Amino acid sequence: MSFRRDYITKPIFSFARGVLPPMSDTEREALEAGDVWWDADLFTGNPDWSKLLANAPATLTDEEKAFLNGPVDELCAMLDDWRINWNGAICRPRPGSSSRSTNSSA
């Protein structure tokens, strides 16, 4: 029997449980999902590299691959990095459309 546990800690926890609002399902799921995994090793300053390398690399789902190969590729094809950086324009004009430069000196 521990004096501190029975006469100090338990009464404080009982009081706090009655005063604090109940934890929502979302809060509980977030707390239970938390896992420091290999990050904990990294932040100790002495990571176990074999533990990291023992895990298979992450792979994309078919849905994620389809998104990258469809809408993302289409968006990237529309972007012109040089025009974005030097002229302030974001997208290439579509074929057949009239284009006006956002920079009149171009």
Side-chain angles (χ1 to χ4, degrees):
M1 180 167 168
S2 169
F3 177 80
R4 184 182 69 187
R5 183 189 63 221
D6 293 338
Y7 294 102
I8 298 174
T9 306
K10 280 186 179 181
I12 290 173
F13 280 153
S14 294
F15 172 76
R17 191 177 303 120
V19 175
L20 295 174
M23 186 180 301
S24 71
D25 290 340
T26 305
E27 291 169 322
R28 181 172 284 102
E29 287 174 12
L31 288 172
E32 290 173 357
D35 182 7
V36 293
W37 184 65
W38 188 77
D39 299 349
D41 286 355
L42 182 64
F43 289 116
T44 63
N46 189 20
D48 182 358
W49 295 102
S50 61
K51 182 177 176 184
L52 176 66
L53 296 172
N55 290 292
T59 58
L60 297 174
T61 64
D62 289 339
E63 183 180 7
E64 292 166 331
K65 289 176 189 175
F67 177 72
L68 290 174
N69 294 330
V72 173
D73 276 350
E74 184 179 339
L75 174 64
C76 289
M78 293 169 54
L79 298 176
D80 184 336
D81 192 50
W82 188 89
R83 288 181 69 192
I84 291 169
N85 287 313
W86 297 105
N87 290 340
I90 295 177
C91 295
R92 296 181 185 123
R94 291 185 178 171
S97 66
S98 63
S99 64
R100 294 185 340 170
S101 175
T102 57
N103 184 346
S104 60
S105 64

